[in-house]
Short mmCIF file of all heavy atoms in Angstrom, two decimals:
data_model
loop_
_atom_site.label_atom_id
_atom_site.label_comp_id
_atom_site.label_asym_id
_atom_site.label_seq_id
_atom_site.Cartn_x
_atom_site.Cartn_y
_atom_site.Cartn_z
N VAL A 1819 -44.08 10.60 130.35
CA VAL A 1819 -43.85 9.16 130.17
C VAL A 1819 -43.12 8.60 131.38
O VAL A 1819 -43.44 7.50 131.86
CB VAL A 1819 -43.07 8.89 128.86
CG1 VAL A 1819 -42.56 7.45 128.82
CG2 VAL A 1819 -43.94 9.18 127.64
N TYR A 1822 -45.55 8.41 134.09
CA TYR A 1822 -46.54 7.37 133.77
C TYR A 1822 -45.98 5.99 134.05
O TYR A 1822 -46.69 5.12 134.58
CB TYR A 1822 -46.96 7.49 132.31
CG TYR A 1822 -47.85 6.35 131.84
CD1 TYR A 1822 -49.21 6.35 132.11
CD2 TYR A 1822 -47.31 5.26 131.14
CE1 TYR A 1822 -50.01 5.30 131.70
CE2 TYR A 1822 -48.10 4.21 130.72
CZ TYR A 1822 -49.46 4.23 130.99
OH TYR A 1822 -50.25 3.19 130.59
N GLU A 1823 -44.72 5.75 133.72
CA GLU A 1823 -44.13 4.43 133.94
C GLU A 1823 -44.14 4.07 135.43
O GLU A 1823 -44.45 2.94 135.81
CB GLU A 1823 -42.69 4.41 133.40
CG GLU A 1823 -42.58 4.50 131.89
CD GLU A 1823 -43.15 3.28 131.18
OE1 GLU A 1823 -43.27 2.21 131.80
OE2 GLU A 1823 -43.51 3.40 129.97
N TYR A 1826 -47.75 3.53 136.54
CA TYR A 1826 -48.28 2.28 136.02
C TYR A 1826 -47.78 1.09 136.83
O TYR A 1826 -48.52 0.13 137.08
CB TYR A 1826 -47.90 2.09 134.55
CG TYR A 1826 -48.44 0.79 133.97
CD1 TYR A 1826 -49.78 0.68 133.61
CD2 TYR A 1826 -47.61 -0.33 133.85
CE1 TYR A 1826 -50.28 -0.50 133.10
CE2 TYR A 1826 -48.10 -1.53 133.34
CZ TYR A 1826 -49.44 -1.61 132.96
OH TYR A 1826 -49.96 -2.78 132.48
N ALA A 1827 -46.52 1.16 137.27
CA ALA A 1827 -45.98 0.07 138.08
C ALA A 1827 -46.78 -0.07 139.38
O ALA A 1827 -47.13 -1.18 139.80
CB ALA A 1827 -44.50 0.32 138.37
N TYR A 1829 -49.82 1.07 139.88
CA TYR A 1829 -51.18 0.72 139.48
C TYR A 1829 -51.30 -0.78 139.19
O TYR A 1829 -52.25 -1.45 139.65
CB TYR A 1829 -51.55 1.53 138.24
CG TYR A 1829 -52.80 1.05 137.53
CD1 TYR A 1829 -54.07 1.33 138.02
CD2 TYR A 1829 -52.70 0.29 136.36
CE1 TYR A 1829 -55.21 0.89 137.37
CE2 TYR A 1829 -53.83 -0.16 135.70
CZ TYR A 1829 -55.09 0.14 136.20
OH TYR A 1829 -56.21 -0.29 135.55
N ASP A 1830 -50.31 -1.32 138.51
CA ASP A 1830 -50.34 -2.74 138.16
C ASP A 1830 -50.23 -3.60 139.42
O ASP A 1830 -50.90 -4.65 139.54
CB ASP A 1830 -49.21 -3.06 137.19
CG ASP A 1830 -49.31 -4.46 136.63
OD1 ASP A 1830 -50.39 -4.82 136.08
OD2 ASP A 1830 -48.32 -5.21 136.69
N ARG A 1833 -53.67 -3.41 141.51
CA ARG A 1833 -54.83 -4.13 140.96
C ARG A 1833 -54.58 -5.63 140.85
O ARG A 1833 -55.52 -6.40 140.69
CB ARG A 1833 -55.19 -3.58 139.58
CG ARG A 1833 -54.29 -4.00 138.48
CD ARG A 1833 -54.78 -3.55 137.12
NE ARG A 1833 -53.77 -3.89 136.14
CZ ARG A 1833 -53.97 -3.92 134.85
NH1 ARG A 1833 -55.15 -3.60 134.37
NH2 ARG A 1833 -52.99 -4.24 134.06
N TYR A 1858 -52.78 7.35 138.47
CA TYR A 1858 -52.57 6.71 137.16
C TYR A 1858 -53.57 7.27 136.13
O TYR A 1858 -53.18 7.64 135.01
CB TYR A 1858 -52.73 5.19 137.29
CG TYR A 1858 -52.69 4.48 135.95
CD1 TYR A 1858 -51.48 4.28 135.30
CD2 TYR A 1858 -53.86 4.04 135.34
CE1 TYR A 1858 -51.45 3.65 134.07
CE2 TYR A 1858 -53.83 3.41 134.11
CZ TYR A 1858 -52.62 3.21 133.47
OH TYR A 1858 -52.59 2.61 132.24
N VAL A 1862 -52.91 9.33 132.54
CA VAL A 1862 -53.46 8.89 131.24
C VAL A 1862 -54.22 10.03 130.59
O VAL A 1862 -54.10 10.27 129.37
CB VAL A 1862 -54.37 7.65 131.41
CG1 VAL A 1862 -55.17 7.37 130.15
CG2 VAL A 1862 -53.55 6.44 131.82
N LEU A 1865 -51.74 12.51 129.22
CA LEU A 1865 -51.14 12.01 127.97
C LEU A 1865 -52.10 12.17 126.79
O LEU A 1865 -51.69 12.54 125.68
CB LEU A 1865 -50.73 10.54 128.13
CG LEU A 1865 -49.46 10.26 128.93
CD1 LEU A 1865 -49.30 8.76 129.20
CD2 LEU A 1865 -48.23 10.77 128.16
N PHE A 1914 -48.51 6.72 120.76
CA PHE A 1914 -49.15 6.76 122.07
C PHE A 1914 -49.67 5.39 122.48
O PHE A 1914 -49.79 5.11 123.68
CB PHE A 1914 -50.27 7.81 122.08
CG PHE A 1914 -49.78 9.20 122.39
CD1 PHE A 1914 -49.26 10.00 121.41
CD2 PHE A 1914 -49.79 9.68 123.70
CE1 PHE A 1914 -48.78 11.27 121.70
CE2 PHE A 1914 -49.33 10.95 124.00
CZ PHE A 1914 -48.81 11.75 123.00
N LYS A 1915 -49.99 4.53 121.51
CA LYS A 1915 -50.37 3.17 121.86
C LYS A 1915 -49.20 2.41 122.47
O LYS A 1915 -49.37 1.53 123.32
CB LYS A 1915 -50.86 2.42 120.62
CG LYS A 1915 -52.29 2.77 120.23
CD LYS A 1915 -52.73 1.94 119.02
CE LYS A 1915 -54.16 2.30 118.63
NZ LYS A 1915 -54.61 1.50 117.46
N GLN A 1916 -48.00 2.76 122.01
CA GLN A 1916 -46.81 2.13 122.59
C GLN A 1916 -46.57 2.61 124.03
O GLN A 1916 -46.03 1.87 124.86
CB GLN A 1916 -45.58 2.47 121.73
CG GLN A 1916 -45.62 1.89 120.33
CD GLN A 1916 -44.45 2.38 119.48
OE1 GLN A 1916 -43.55 3.06 119.98
NE2 GLN A 1916 -44.49 2.05 118.20
N ILE A 1917 -46.99 3.84 124.30
CA ILE A 1917 -46.76 4.41 125.63
C ILE A 1917 -47.80 3.92 126.62
O ILE A 1917 -47.47 3.40 127.70
CB ILE A 1917 -46.78 5.96 125.56
CG1 ILE A 1917 -45.63 6.46 124.69
CG2 ILE A 1917 -46.70 6.56 126.96
CD1 ILE A 1917 -45.69 7.95 124.40
N ILE A 1918 -49.08 4.06 126.28
CA ILE A 1918 -50.16 3.69 127.17
C ILE A 1918 -50.46 2.20 126.99
O ILE A 1918 -50.73 1.75 125.88
CB ILE A 1918 -51.42 4.53 126.88
CG1 ILE A 1918 -51.09 6.03 127.05
CG2 ILE A 1918 -52.57 4.13 127.79
CD1 ILE A 1918 -52.23 6.94 126.66
N LYS A 1919 -50.39 1.46 128.07
CA LYS A 1919 -50.56 0.02 128.01
C LYS A 1919 -51.96 -0.34 127.53
O LYS A 1919 -52.94 0.33 127.87
CB LYS A 1919 -50.31 -0.61 129.40
CG LYS A 1919 -49.01 -0.17 130.06
CD LYS A 1919 -47.79 -0.41 129.17
CE LYS A 1919 -46.51 -0.01 129.90
NZ LYS A 1919 -45.38 0.14 129.01
N GLU A 1920 -52.02 -1.43 126.74
CA GLU A 1920 -53.28 -1.82 126.12
C GLU A 1920 -54.34 -2.28 127.13
O GLU A 1920 -55.53 -2.21 126.86
CB GLU A 1920 -53.05 -2.95 125.10
CG GLU A 1920 -52.21 -2.51 123.92
CD GLU A 1920 -52.03 -3.64 122.92
OE1 GLU A 1920 -52.53 -4.75 123.19
OE2 GLU A 1920 -51.39 -3.41 121.89
N ASP A 1921 -53.91 -2.75 128.30
CA ASP A 1921 -54.88 -3.29 129.25
C ASP A 1921 -55.54 -2.20 130.09
O ASP A 1921 -56.28 -2.47 131.01
CB ASP A 1921 -54.22 -4.32 130.18
CG ASP A 1921 -53.02 -3.74 130.91
OD1 ASP A 1921 -52.68 -2.57 130.62
OD2 ASP A 1921 -52.43 -4.45 131.72
N ASN A 1922 -55.21 -0.91 129.72
CA ASN A 1922 -55.85 0.16 130.48
C ASN A 1922 -57.33 0.25 130.16
O ASN A 1922 -57.70 0.34 129.01
CB ASN A 1922 -55.16 1.49 130.17
CG ASN A 1922 -55.77 2.62 130.94
OD1 ASN A 1922 -55.99 2.49 132.14
ND2 ASN A 1922 -56.04 3.71 130.26
#
Side-chain angles (χ1 to χ4, degrees):
V1819 168
Y1822 172 81
E1823 292 293 339
Y1826 180 77
Y1829 167 77
D1830 188 53
R1833 75 174 175 164
Y1858 174 77
V1862 168
L1865 284 171
F1914 274 84
K1915 281 183 180 180
Q1916 295 173 7
I1917 296 172
I1918 301 175
K1919 309 306 182 196
E1920 294 182 358
D1921 56 356
N1922 181 47

